């Protein structure tokens, strides 16, 4: 039993291990949250008596289904689809879909568990859920992706709805996939129910600034962390991992705020560009050509590609992990500390291992966990739902201002809770405790659910 978990919560954690064998990422996400809740249940012992934590560790509903489809050469392919409807206490289940060959039930459960507390932090009426498939869109034609998405939605449509469960994108699911998914939902149900899915195109019910929201929000959160600690942001060297949706718009916002992004990556390696990443070129390579960061380096003389290396070897003041879970371990964290990193904000979900987080905290590096730092994506999804419900569409400026205000408010809530428990600067504690208390109190108000 990990000694990070307060004795009063160890039984709940043991049950999670027993009931969910082999789901290491889910165990890790639960351990991380339970590991911080000791002082909270000491102050509010009725959470223990009412078994709120045991209830929250068990998803409300888990859906697993077969996704058969035919590829371009006529071969039948079979994938597995998931939707974990984790908690609807604050609103309809809300969270993205991930299409990646590594996706297992435990992956979706870890992401759904995180999503409950993240969504609570946004202050908007959204519950927590997540879904996806072990389908790999890489190397597939548009028609294959379309057939896969249509088959996936042919099962999923019966479980979702504007007041029930509202999916969106995540790794491997962007505007193209959302279009195919929404098209099939509309066709099966004969309803133009815009609020059933978010991340839609701007011409058909999408929100301005949703594409940018996660990356922008992460950088706004990092800037708030810097301000709170009396540090600057302008002129800072920044390293971003990944080169997908979150990474690209994190880079864009760093540039707008006067920082310089020296490196970014994908699963094959990383690029360093001493002139700073050329965002237009990166967007062309990744968003238009669906290429690799190596192609970026080939097209730019100031850049070099490092095959298979760790992007965290590049010294920087601000590190923004924006790729995937457990991509930054304690060795990478130690390299960053040696290189002078002052702030780490997680654009991805759970990208830093628990050992890496300990290295940062022991070294006095400010560490913003994903639940708080990357909440701007789902928050703007909730703004998309608002616009759909009111048959309205806001300007980019208005939507971005709402996003920034939400990120500042999350920062304030997290900092206030941490101070209230005499743990100033502990963003991990602040985020978990704030999200948990809101969800727990709401659950208790609704009885034994
Ligand atoms: P994308 O699919 O757009 O991009 C993912 C990026 O991460 C790619 O560069 C990809 O490289 C890299 N990556 C993925 N898996 C691995 C891996 N196993 N090892 C190394 N690199 C990897 O996804 P997003 O940008 O949308 O998502 C990135 C992270 O942000 C995820 O953790 C997601 O859960 C989180 N997130 C996303 C939100 C959103 O709104 N999209 C909101 C909040 C969090 P490659 O192309 O080589 O696979
Ligand atoms: O992890 C996340 O918060 C997302 N992938 C976004 C979810 C959403 O519903 O916009």
């Amino acid at each position: 039993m990990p000694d990070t978990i307060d004795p009063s919560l160890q039984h709940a954690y043991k049950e999670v291990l027993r009931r969910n064998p082999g789901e290491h990422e889910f165990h890790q996400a639960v351990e991380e949250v339970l590991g911080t809740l000791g002082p909270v249940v000491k102050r509010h012992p009725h959470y223990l008596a009412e078994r709120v934590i045991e209830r929250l560790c068990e998803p409300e509903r888990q859906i697993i289904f077969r996704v058969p489809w035919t590829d371009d050469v006529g071969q039948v392919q079979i994938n597995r689809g998931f939707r974990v409807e984790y908690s609807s206490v604050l609103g309809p289940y809300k969270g993205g879909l991930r299409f990646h060959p590594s996706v297992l039930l435990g992956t979706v459960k870890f992401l759904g568990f995180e999503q409950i507390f993240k969504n609570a932090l946004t202050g908007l009426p959204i519950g927590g859920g997540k879904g996806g498939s072990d389908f790999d869109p890489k190397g597939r034609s548009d028609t294959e992706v379309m057939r896969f998405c249509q088959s996936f939605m042919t099962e999923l449509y019966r479980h979702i709805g504007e007041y029930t469960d509202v999916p969106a994108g995540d790794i491997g699911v962007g505007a193209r996939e959302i279009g195919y998914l929404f098209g099939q939902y509309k066709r099966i149900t004969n309803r133009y129910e815009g609020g059933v899915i978010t991340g839609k195109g701007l011409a058909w019910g999408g929100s301005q600034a949703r594409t940018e929201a996660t990356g922008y929000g992460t950088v706004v959160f990092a800037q708030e962390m810097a301000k709170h600690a009396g540090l600057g942001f302008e002129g800072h060297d920044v390293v971003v991992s990944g080169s997908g949706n979150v990474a690209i718009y994190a880079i864009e916002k760093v540039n707008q705020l006067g920082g310089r992004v020296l490196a970014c990556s994908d699963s094959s390696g990383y690029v360093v560009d001493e002139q700073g990443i050329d965002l237009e070129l990166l967007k062309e390579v990744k968003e238009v050509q669906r290429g690799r960061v190596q192609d970026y380096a080939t097209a730019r003389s100031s850049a070099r590609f490092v095959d298979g290396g760790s992007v965290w070897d590049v010294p920087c003041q601000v590190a923004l992990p924006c790729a995937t879970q457990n991509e930054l371990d304690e060795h990478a964290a130690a390299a960053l500390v040696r290189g002078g990193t002052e702030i780490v904000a997680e654009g991805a979900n759970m990208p830093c291992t628990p050992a890496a987080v300990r290295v940062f905290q022991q070294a006095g590096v400010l560490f913003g966990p994903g639940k708080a730092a990357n909440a701007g994506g789902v928050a703007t999804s909730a703004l998309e739902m608002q616009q759909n419900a009111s048959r309205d569409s806001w300007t980019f400026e208005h939507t971005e201002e709402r996003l920034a205000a939400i990120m500042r408010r999350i920062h304030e809530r997290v900092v206030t809770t941490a101070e209230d428990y005499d743990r100033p600067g502990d963003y991990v504690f602040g985020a978990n405790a704030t999200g948990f208390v809101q969800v727990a109190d709401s659950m208790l108000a609704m009885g034994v659910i």
Side-chain angles (χ1 to χ4, degrees):
M1 188 52 49
D3 58 6
T4 50
I5 296 184
D6 188 83
S8 65
L9 299 173
Q10 290 197 357
H11 177 72
Y13 187 63
K14 264 189 211 142
E15 278 298 287
V16 168
L17 297 181
R18 186 185 67 77
R19 279 203 168 126
N20 307 277
E23 295 181 347
H24 304 295
E25 291 162 335
F26 179 54
H27 302 165
Q28 182 184 332
V30 173
E31 185 187 333
E32 192 264 351
V33 172
L34 266 49
T36 59
L37 292 183
V40 179
V41 295
K42 243 173 227 114
R43 193 182 286 189
H44 305 279
H46 65 293
Y47 292 152
L48 290 176
E50 300 279 355
R51 303 191 68 191
V52 175
I53 287 166
E54 285 94 328
R55 289 194 239 168
L56 271 176
C57 288
E58 186 67 21
E60 289 178 13
R61 191 175 296 112
Q62 305 179 54
I63 302 156
I64 306 179
F65 50 100
R66 177 167 65 200
V67 189
W69 57 284
T70 307
D71 68 17
D72 283 348
V73 296
Q75 172 79 46
V76 173
Q77 301 284 342
I78 297 104
N79 287 101
R80 186 174 286 180
F82 304 96
R83 187 73 184 166
V84 172
E85 298 184 331
Y86 216 122
S87 166
S88 61
V89 75
L90 299 183
Y93 308 107
K94 182 82 196 89
L97 298 171
R98 175 176 295 190
F99 293 169
H100 192 274
S102 64
V103 169
L104 296 167
L105 179 61
T107 320
V108 181
K109 259 152 91 178
F110 117 65
L111 290 162
F113 186 75
E114 292 281 294
Q115 201 84 43
I116 307 172
F117 308 106
K118 181 199 303 193
N119 293 4
L121 284 171
T122 67
L124 297 166
I126 41 180
K130 200 84 187 189
S133 175
D134 57 3
F135 172 69
D136 187 357
K138 264 200 209 96
R140 291 293 181 187
S141 67
D142 286 353
T143 51
E144 289 179 317
V145 171
M146 181 182 74
R147 283 196 297 276
F148 173 80
C149 288
Q150 290 179 339
S151 181
F152 185 86
M153 186 52 86
T154 300
E155 171 61 31
L156 188 69
Y157 89 94
R158 69 190 82 244
H159 306 290
I160 62 176
E162 151 180 29
Y163 295 105
T164 315
D165 183 354
V166 184
D170 193 81
I171 290 178
V173 178
R176 175 182 61 171
E177 291 73 18
I178 295 293
Y180 296 146
L181 291 163
F182 181 65
Q184 184 72 351
Y185 181 85
K186 190 175 76 54
R187 212 169 150 209
I188 296 175
T189 60
N190 193 33
R191 283 160 66 88
Y192 203 107
E193 193 185 337
V196 73
I197 195 163
T198 58
K200 297 182 294 299
L202 293 179
W204 42 278
S207 174
Q208 294 283 354
R210 175 61 188 90
T211 304
E212 294 82 357
T214 311
Y216 276 25
T218 300
V219 175
V220 170
F221 194 86
Q223 190 191 25
E224 287 298 298
M225 292 168 72
K227 257 195 232 157
H228 189 73
L231 301 170
F233 207 82
E234 209 169 316
H236 275 24
D237 285 339
V238 180
V239 169
V240 175
S241 64
S243 49
N245 171 264
V246 180
I248 286 175
Y249 292 95
I251 296 172
E252 186 161 287
K253 184 51 80 181
V254 169
N255 291 347
Q256 288 172 12
L257 295 179
R260 186 171 63 141
V261 179
L262 289 176
C264 66
S265 66
D266 60 25
S267 56
S268 32
Y270 68 92
V271 283
V272 191
D273 191 331
E274 299 303 338
Q275 302 282 315
I277 297 288
D278 176 337
L279 192 63
E280 289 319 304
L281 176 60
L282 185 68
K283 282 185 181 175
E284 170 65 26
V285 169
K286 300 300 292 195
E287 293 186 333
V288 181
Q289 299 168 7
R290 295 185 183 273
R292 317 291 303 155
V293 290
Q294 184 166 15
D295 305 326
Y296 171 96
T298 309
R300 183 140 154 110
S301 57
S302 56
R304 71 191 158 84
F305 175 66
V306 181
D307 197 349
S310 165
V311 72
W312 308 119
D313 289 339
V314 180
C316 58
Q317 279 115 26
V318 180
L320 304 175
C322 296
T324 195
Q325 64 271 16
N326 293 327
E327 53 155 311
L328 195 166
D329 65 11
E330 72 270 30
H331 307 292
L336 284 170
V337 170
R338 280 195 303 276
T341 297
E342 295 170 342
I343 298 173
V344 179
E346 294 185 322
N349 286 307
M350 209 168 77
C352 299
T353 65
V357 176
R358 278 194 292 277
V359 170
F360 291 137
Q361 290 177 331
Q362 277 159 14
V365 172
L366 295 174
F367 175 75
K371 273 184 212 83
N374 73 37
V378 75
T380 308
S381 278
L383 301 182
E384 183 172 329
M385 292 162 71
Q386 277 185 39
Q387 292 168 77
N388 296 148
S390 58
R391 308 264 186 264
D392 199 358
S393 126
W394 307 341
T395 62
F396 190 93
E397 292 68 30
H398 176 70
T399 318
E400 194 194 354
E401 184 39 48
R402 295 238 12 213
L403 163 64
I406 291 166
M407 296 315 296
R408 289 193 293 269
R409 174 82 184 120
I410 294 173
H411 182 270
E412 186 186 304
R413 287 180 76 190
V414 168
V415 162
T416 304
T417 303
E419 283 169 0
D420 181 37
Y421 278 85
D422 212 14
R423 302 170 82 121
D426 188 342
Y427 285 88
V428 173
F429 174 82
N432 288 342
T434 307
F436 170 76
V437 167
Q438 185 180 342
V439 173
D441 288 348
S442 307
M443 265 177 96
L444 291 177
M446 295 182 200
V448 179
I449 58 163

